[in-house]
Amino acid sequence: MSVDKPPVDNGVNVEALLEARAALADAPDIAEFKWRATTSWVRGTHSQSSIETFYGLGGEQEHRTTFTHDADHPLQFASEDMGATPVEFALVALGSCLTAGIAAVAQQREIQLNSVNATIEADMDIHGILGADPDIRNGFSGVRVHYDIDADATPQEIEALVAQSQKRSAVFDILANPTNITVDVN
Amino acid sequence: MPHVPVAIVGAGHCGLAMSRCLASRSIDHVVLERGEVANSWRTERWDSLRLLTPNWLTRLPGFAYAGPDPDGFMTAGEVAELIRRYGEDGAAPVLTRTAVRAVRGRDHGGFAVDTDRGDWTADAVVVASGACNLPTVPAVREELPPGITSLTALEYRNPAQLPEGGVLVVGASSSGTQIADELLRDGREVTIAVGEHVRLPRRYRGRDILWWMDAAGILDERWDEMDDLVRARNIPSMQLAGTAGGAMLDLNALTGRGARLVGRLAAIRDGIGLFSGSLRNVCALADLKLVRLLDNLDAWARDNDVAVPEPPERFEPTAVPSPPALELALRPGEIRTVIWATGYRPDLSWLEPSVVNTRGRLIHDGGVTRFPGLYLIGMPFLRRRNSTLITGSGADAGDLTEHLAAHLGSLAPPVRVSARG
């Protein structure tokens, strides 16, 4: 006999995700998404980006509201620090993507999460972006993510959650693997 | 045009197991074989390959291994000979050197089977032509710079076949680890590009790992009990080799022999191979899954009072270089040869009724296709986890024979003319 315990609720609608995956098998086209942002220069290194629409499920879609994000460089770079630096947005993207994945996988595996906190840190040698040393790349030389997770699960199950989340993470893939980028100008 | 109730395409262990099962129900059939019996085992394996299942696990309908070395592993030639004798012992109606060119559905049911030695009609067709006829090679192969020798695991035979110089083995499943091991023992500089993989010890607590998986029922898990069948059918092959003595052939063993590990080969740009930064995670996933499997096996042995020679053990986590290289120049001096051990797929180009979806994946329900009378056998996780092992073909053939017999029984008129009188 099993003892009744409250249903696991991490606020993730796993059934909807699984139904969506099943629907994709019959209509692979609806899986083609396009994600968009627009960026406008404000002044100096300060820019403002907004995110409003995307394409997917066979049609144009809209966010519930328009999200805007200021980006700048810090005072130490002789900038005005009107927002996070672009590379920090990359860390935000990785942390939020992995964390969303942990919640979804936990829900699917019926693991109740109590708290999930990530610290993301990346190494960068700015010789690269300053053009001071051609042997040093512009981007990160390494990224470390540390998770503190309190969940109703064994340490091994929690480790497996974190590993599975990396395996299914879009941003992890974007950072870990090369991507073709096309930039044009009017 | 001769008619036969059932045409089996392929005289490997699956086709012959199916033949045995049909014969036991007196269902007339023919087995069409493009070459000799067990053709792939004779012509499409590297020289040193041994079966990765131990001899005692070599079971077929009406056959069980009774030789002197139950814990040994057969060479490819021995497997071919065993299958040949199995066909002979069962007097299987095999037509060798008869290549099927096309199988087409006929307007009023049944199939037309065209071969290079005459055409047949059949009420039912069983596709037993193998799951590994063609190599699956990623598109990035096209970006290889000139001067690099490129071979698939199907083309690889032995180290002497490769020019002098370093080798990049792409893939770390069964083929990739075995080929890398052989090249390392030959003194080559070997780099292995590692994606998702299944890490297993050859022996655990004094028994072969496949003994555990067989005895605990894991190999018999059914396709219709899987939560995620697409995933189950696409799990990479087990990192196992038919090594006497039971040495483990995992990434730690290979790095111990000098292999360099890099992540999955993601792209080649300007002659530089770019590797994924996911190496640490794919190794962590494989380590975690191995621990989970061993935990489950230990629990099974405990709960069922199974006597096991040795106590539980856990294996060292996979050692990942810190940091793993992300780039490698693909040029002589560094890498002279690339071997693609990136999987295999069946060649069904001759099969007109389409049994694949838009992604190229087979569509079938436990080997029963949506075309009445058309069956598949020997494909990954067809009906059971062991569907691609020799030992799994018997149960699958038995189930499919039952389905096929019911199908033949439903046909009207029930008059069937035998091709062989």
Side-chain angles (χ1 to χ4, degrees):
Chain A
M1 280 228 333
S2 65
V3 180
D4 284 349
K5 43 179 193 176
V8 168
D9 183 8
N10 298 320
V12 179
N13 188 342
V14 167
E15 285 76 28
L17 294 176
L18 292 175
E19 278 168 27
R21 198 176 73 169
L24 295 182
D26 302 323
D29 291 351
I30 65 172
E32 300 297 333
F33 273 65
K34 294 181 198 305
W35 300 105
R36 304 176 181 130
T38 60
T39 301
S40 298
W41 175 61
V42 179
R43 183 172 178 277
T45 53
H46 178 200
S47 65
Q48 199 167 60
S49 298
S50 42
I51 291 152
E52 191 171 7
T53 67
F54 57 95
Y55 178 89
L57 306 174
E60 285 297 328
Q61 311 288 343
E62 269 182 22
H63 276 286
R64 189 172 48 78
T65 180
T66 302
F67 297 103
T68 58
H69 299 282
D70 287 276
D72 200 352
H73 288 160
L75 302 174
Q76 292 77 355
F77 282 49
S79 289
E80 292 183 359
D81 209 4
M82 300 299 285
T85 65
V87 294
E88 288 162 336
F89 278 98
L91 304 188
V92 171
L94 180 62
S96 50
C97 191
L98 289 176
T99 303
I102 286 169
V105 177
Q107 185 71 45
Q108 163 75 357
R109 296 185 180 176
E110 297 187 346
I111 293 173
Q112 181 64 51
L113 299 175
N114 302 315
S115 69
V116 180
N117 292 293
T119 311
I120 308 114
E121 188 176 61
D123 303 322
M124 183 193 278
D125 181 340
I126 66 165
H127 277 97
I129 54 172
L130 293 175
D133 186 338
D135 292 334
I136 290 173
R137 70 183 282 186
N138 300 336
F140 301 142
S141 55
V143 179
R144 287 176 303 282
V145 183
H146 174 75
Y147 267 102
D148 288 302
I149 296 179
D150 175 12
D152 301 340
T154 64
Q156 197 188 73
E157 286 168 334
I158 293 173
E159 258 182 78
L161 280 184
V162 175
Q164 183 66 17
S165 168
Q166 291 170 70
K167 182 177 152 183
R168 285 280 158 256
S169 163
V171 178
F172 182 97
D173 174 57
I174 289 164
L175 288 177
N177 296 309
T179 306
N180 283 314
I181 301 178
T182 312
V183 181
D184 66 7
V185 60
N186 67 339
Chain B
M1 195 180 305
H3 180 85
V4 66
V6 184
I8 299 172
V9 182
H13 66 271
C14 281
L16 296 177
M18 196 70 203
S19 169
R20 233 0 132 90
C21 292
L22 290 171
S24 72
R25 300 177 76 125
S26 304
I27 297 173
D28 203 1
H29 63 279
V30 64
V31 186
L32 303 169
E33 169 54 56
R34 67 190 153 138
E36 298 301 321
V37 170
N39 200 60
S40 311
W41 284 100
R42 295 176 197 284
T43 60
E44 295 173 4
R45 302 288 184 267
W46 62 83
D47 298 346
S48 66
L49 179 72
R50 286 174 180 268
L51 197 58
L52 54 78
T53 53
N55 289 336
W56 61 264
L57 195 54
T58 308
R59 305 181 286 222
L60 285 162
F63 173 87
Y65 179 85
D69 186 17
D71 294 324
F73 301 90
M74 276 174 239
T75 63
E78 288 166 344
V79 176
E81 179 57 17
L82 180 138
I83 295 172
R84 187 192 65 75
R85 270 190 285 117
Y86 177 69
E88 264 182 23
D89 292 349
V94 182
L95 294 182
T96 56
R97 306 202 168 281
T98 305
V100 172
R101 287 175 169 155
V103 167
R104 285 172 284 118
R106 303 179 77 212
D107 287 345
H108 302 290
F111 301 90
V113 181
D114 298 350
T115 81
D116 59 358
R117 290 197 170 185
D119 301 341
W120 299 67
T121 60
D123 298 321
V125 169
V126 181
V127 176
S129 48
C132 303
N133 313 115
L134 300 171
T136 303
V137 183
V140 63
R141 180 185 191 170
E142 303 306 319
E143 307 299 323
L144 271 185
I148 301 292
T149 299
S150 166
L151 282 179
T152 68
L154 271 179
E155 294 163 323
Y156 173 79
R157 287 293 170 273
N158 54 56
Q161 179 190 17
L162 310 187
E164 287 292 309
V167 184
L168 171 64
V169 177
V170 183
S173 291
S174 185
S175 298
T177 50
Q178 289 181 74
I179 292 171
D181 187 43
E182 180 163 87
L183 293 169
L184 287 163
R185 290 170 190 277
D186 189 59
R188 301 296 184 116
E189 298 267 329
V190 177
T191 305
I192 310 171
V194 180
E196 213 186 316
H197 57 277
V198 178
R199 183 184 182 204
L200 285 180
R202 176 76 262 181
R203 293 182 76 79
Y204 180 61
R205 300 180 60 182
R207 303 252 191 185
D208 195 278
I209 191 69
L210 293 177
W211 174 86
W212 286 91
M213 295 174 72
D214 185 53
I218 294 172
L219 293 184
D220 292 320
E221 286 172 350
R222 290 168 57 95
W223 92 105
D224 51 3
E225 292 167 350
M226 287 294 114
D227 285 339
D228 188 345
L229 185 58
V230 173
R231 160 98 191 121
R233 284 187 171 152
N234 286 280
I235 291 176
S237 60
M238 301 178 278
Q239 276 182 348
L240 281 182
T243 320
M248 191 168 176
L249 183 57
D250 64 349
L251 295 173
N252 283 350
L254 294 170
T255 47
R257 264 167 236 140
R260 165 171 55 173
L261 304 186
V262 293
R264 194 177 59 87
L265 176 59
I268 298 172
R269 279 189 197 149
D270 306 325
I272 309 286
L274 303 179
F275 301 96
S276 177
S278 63
L279 178 63
R280 204 180 311 273
N281 191 51
V282 294
C283 292
L285 279 164
D287 289 350
L288 283 163
K289 283 177 187 159
L290 173 57
V291 169
R292 208 178 316 151
L293 173 72
L294 299 182
D295 284 349
N296 289 338
L297 295 177
D298 289 338
W300 167 80
R302 194 176 54 236
D303 296 346
N304 295 283
D305 290 325
V306 179
V308 185
E310 293 168 20
E313 67 173 311
R314 291 295 173 266
F315 300 90
E316 283 291 305
T318 304
V320 176
S322 186
L326 297 172
E327 297 184 2
L328 193 55
L330 302 177
R331 58 167 175 256
E334 187 84 54
I335 296 292
R336 179 66 183 78
T337 304
V338 176
I339 295 180
W340 305 94
T342 37
Y344 308 93
R345 60 202 162 92
D347 178 4
L348 299 175
S349 54
W350 46 272
L351 185 63
E352 202 166 275
S354 175
V355 294
V356 294
N357 68 10
T358 50
R359 293 267 189 249
R361 294 208 177 100
L362 295 172
I363 330 165
H364 62 94
D365 185 15
V368 179
T369 74
R370 61 202 168 101
F371 302 98
L374 181 62
Y375 300 88
L376 305 175
I377 190 168
M379 299 300 170
F381 220 132
L382 185 92
R383 297 182 71 84
R384 289 167 183 81
R385 195 177 293 282
N386 61 8
S387 286
T388 36
L389 303 183
I390 288 178
T391 184
S393 57
D396 285 3
D399 291 351
L400 290 178
T401 294
E402 195 146 317
H403 194 286
L404 195 157
H407 170 71
L408 293 182
S410 73
L411 297 179
V415 179
R416 290 188 296 275
V417 181
S418 163
R420 294 181 300 128

